[in-house]
Amino acid sequence: MRPLKFLLIKEFKQIFRNKTLLPMIFVMPLVQLLIMPLAADYEVKNINISIIDNDHSTFSHRLSSKIAASKYFRLIENEQSFKGAYQKIESNEADLILEIPYRFEENIYRTGSQQVFIAVNAINGTKASLGGSYLSSIIRDFNGSIQPEIKFSAPSSPLKRIELSAINWFNPYLNYKVFMVPAILVILVTMVGAYMCGLNIVKEKEVGTIEQINVSPIKKHHYILGKLIPFLVIGLIVFSIGFFIISWGVYGIVPQGSLLLLYAYLALFLIAILGFGLLISTYSETQQQAMSVSFFFMMVFILMSGLFTSIDAMPAWAKVIAYANPVTYFIEVMRMVVLKGSTFQHITQHVLIMLGFATLFNVWAILNYRKTA
Amino acid sequence: MGDIKWACTERLNSDPMVDVSVQNISKTYDEGTVKALSGISFEVEKGELFGIVGPDGAGKTTLFRILVTLLLADAGEAMVNGSDVVKDYKEIRSKVGYMPGKFSLYQDLSVEENLKFFASIFGTTVEENYHLVKDIYVQLEPFKRRRAGALSGGMKQKLALCCALIHRPEVLFLDEPTTGVDTVSRKEFWEMLKRLKSEGITILVSTPYMDEATLCERIALVQEGQIMSIDTPDGIIARYPDQLFAIKSDNMSGLLRDLRAHPEVASAFSFGEYHHITFTDKQKIAEGASSFLATLSHHNLEMHTITPTVEDCFIQLMSHDGR
């Protein structure tokens, strides 16, 4: 174990001397966790709507002002014709058009029903679908509010309605940050593991110091452990900073589950992802190569992990990729343990799968390292 | 210490004085398309300062990397200090010192830290073998807190030598240790090697500089993966087959052209101030050089006999092989 001690001392000295790496390790979690959750938000606000009111009645005015009063919509100048409103969409000033037909109020009183026309600019898919559904819900609401008034005139429309009220568990206010912050923390830890460890080893290859180590009695597993342990420690530190200072301190996300369980899973995940970094380093000759390869996998890891988009909503082939992605499991475990307070029994499968990843990556990397050196 | 080891290690080679033995080592790159070494064989005795001399691309680095167990040969066998480079690679790694041609110490560690680190990974301390590196290290001492990456070329090489020596290796492999180092430092470096030799360490050194060849006890001249000649530098010079002349005039480039076109001239090469030439007919020149000079229409012609250098021998061997 003595050689390992010397390797670790050397490694930590080098890390603490690195003028780029060290600030990255400590500033990255702060910046990413403080800024990203505030900006990356699913709620769409400031949807520009253009209303063509062909009726100019009390009802049509009430509908317009109801929409304008909502925090999601911004009423832009009312147009007199659909053509004019459509030009607004083309010039990107309007996202939605609502056309209220002529005799809107009169038809409601007379027949009890009336249709309005909604046109949505679907260039930005999220904005379009959310804007459309916000608007529909406002109209539905409006519909409910005018029911008592038209009941007198419309003879046969008995008011039979089932009211649904939902309670959101584990994140009662559907706070986006509660959902995102733990997951972003996972991405940070992944970066430390997949980038830093791999690049560090490739740097030794590039500079040639690995040859000096190879022509020495140092054992391969000592050398590999000497590389994994420092980055395991850094991963734990980055996670702790993000978890206690930012997630808990700033956002007030109090973990529901056991911290010990969370840290045990984190350590397991780090071993797996460090093994992945190691694997990349055995296939790369230069830092540039290692960087490009890790970047490619990071993109897949981030986008196919259920971080932003629900895995359940993915097509079948994409689900296969998502479930072959170690990041997916840690994000799930984070959300389960932190938000739901899940215990070991609930995440047994996740633990087994991550054990599999850790073994696969590390064994593969060590075998390949032997072959090339 | 070395003697005890000799007694208890079984060796294929019967001669106890042989420390490094290379038998028919071949190595190709890129699936056999590039030949780096083709069937090299030689032996180095214990405590010898052995030089591998050859131009860039001759296969010197490949040979060293095979001997220090970083590379596997395609064919052939090699023994270093009684251990097979393939079977007993682990033993070799603890008893050889290797200084690669490219500076490969930790640039972000200081001089002192590098030395300590390399001592510790060999399970020893700087203090234990300080006497070996003392002469060199005293020159580095004023900069011991400086990062290795910030040292000058010569200082880097000295530090690399210290780090390769600090575990007191039985055999030291130095791959082009003086390439890119100034003349004064080069001279110092060779003096250090001579002192190390007196410690009983076998030293293999490769160099592209022919003038350094004479500083070795024995040299192997290599070219395109083959050994052209192995002998002491004097022995190699003594084997030079022709009488060599040095010639100069006012117009050196014109002279070289004329000499090469001259029917009586066997070879002509530019060598700094003079051109070195040999003749097809030795007898005729011995009788009268002036008649030859008269055939050249050059001003201030001057010609005299000289003893060849290793470089002359190298060129002679190369052109002999090539044609």
Side-chain angles (χ1 to χ4, degrees), chain B residues 56-260:
Chain B
D56 294 340
K60 304 188 295 291
T61 301
T62 304
L63 177 64
F64 274 24
R65 285 170 57 87
I66 289 171
L67 291 178
V68 299
T69 76
L70 284 175
L71 204 64
L72 288 175
D74 296 339
E77 280 178 38
M79 305 276 285
V80 175
N81 198 245
S83 310
D84 189 283
V85 289
V86 183
K87 270 186 289 174
D88 314 317
Y89 73 97
K90 278 184 181 156
E91 283 152 50
I92 292 181
R93 287 179 179 185
S94 56
K95 56 192 181 188
V96 301
Y98 173 47
M99 179 178 157
K102 189 179 146 209
F103 180 71
S104 43
L105 299 178
Y106 291 99
Q107 314 240 2
D108 43 4
L109 293 183
S110 73
V111 169
E112 205 178 12
E113 284 163 345
N114 264 303
L115 193 62
K116 274 189 179 162
F117 175 71
F118 282 102
S120 65
I121 60 169
F122 279 95
T124 178
T125 58
V126 176
E127 291 72 31
E128 208 171 312
N129 293 314
Y130 187 69
H131 66 280
L132 271 178
V133 298
K134 194 179 155 235
D135 292 337
I136 318 164
Y137 195 67
V138 285
Q139 300 176 39
L140 290 164
E141 202 110 50
F143 315 105
K144 67 179 182 184
R145 291 196 199 290
R146 192 181 286 187
R147 304 267 166 96
L151 291 173
S152 67
M155 284 291 178
K156 275 182 181 165
Q157 294 305 82
K158 282 172 194 163
L159 176 60
L161 181 61
C162 283
C163 290
L165 268 176
I166 196 64
H167 61 287
R168 205 206 176 281
E170 298 290 326
V171 189
L172 187 60
F173 292 90
L174 307 170
D175 191 7
E176 301 198 8
T178 54
T179 300
V181 173
D182 70 69
T183 327
V184 180
S185 297
R186 270 170 64 184
K187 222 177 144 196
E188 280 178 1
F189 204 91
W190 279 95
E191 277 161 18
M192 282 174 218
L193 293 190
K194 282 190 176 153
R195 276 200 295 273
L196 286 175
K197 204 189 98 61
S198 63
E199 293 275 344
I201 298 174
T202 310
I203 303 171
L204 271 82
V205 55
S206 78
T207 178
Y209 302 122
M210 303 291 164
D211 55 330
E212 289 183 339
T214 47
L215 302 168
C216 301
E217 285 174 293
R218 281 200 307 145
I219 51 174
L221 297 182
V222 291
Q223 163 73 10
E224 285 172 359
Q226 282 173 318
I227 294 183
M228 297 190 294
S229 182
I230 307 179
D231 208 338
T232 59
D234 290 340
I236 282 184
I237 289 165
R239 274 198 257 162
Y240 194 78
D242 297 311
Q243 175 60 56
L244 193 68
F245 292 86
I247 184 166
K248 76 168 181 178
S249 80
D250 285 351
N251 176 8
M252 290 300 276
S253 56
L255 180 62
L256 187 66
R257 205 167 47 239
D258 291 346
L259 285 169
R260 281 184 175 163

Side-chain angles (χ1 to χ4, degrees), chain A residues 261-307:
Chain A
L261 182 63
L262 202 60
Y263 269 86
Y265 200 85
L266 168 67
L268 182 60
F269 173 76
L270 274 170
I271 291 168
I273 211 75
L274 286 169
F276 178 77
L278 195 67
L279 183 60
I280 289 181
S281 76
T282 60
Y283 281 104
S284 315
E285 289 306 315
T286 62
Q287 293 189 72
Q288 203 178 24
Q289 285 175 7
M291 196 77 191
S292 322
V293 176
S294 339
F295 186 75
F296 167 74
F297 280 104
M298 275 310 286
M299 288 307 282
V300 178
F301 280 172
I302 294 173
L303 294 175
M304 304 293 280
S305 64
L307 170 68

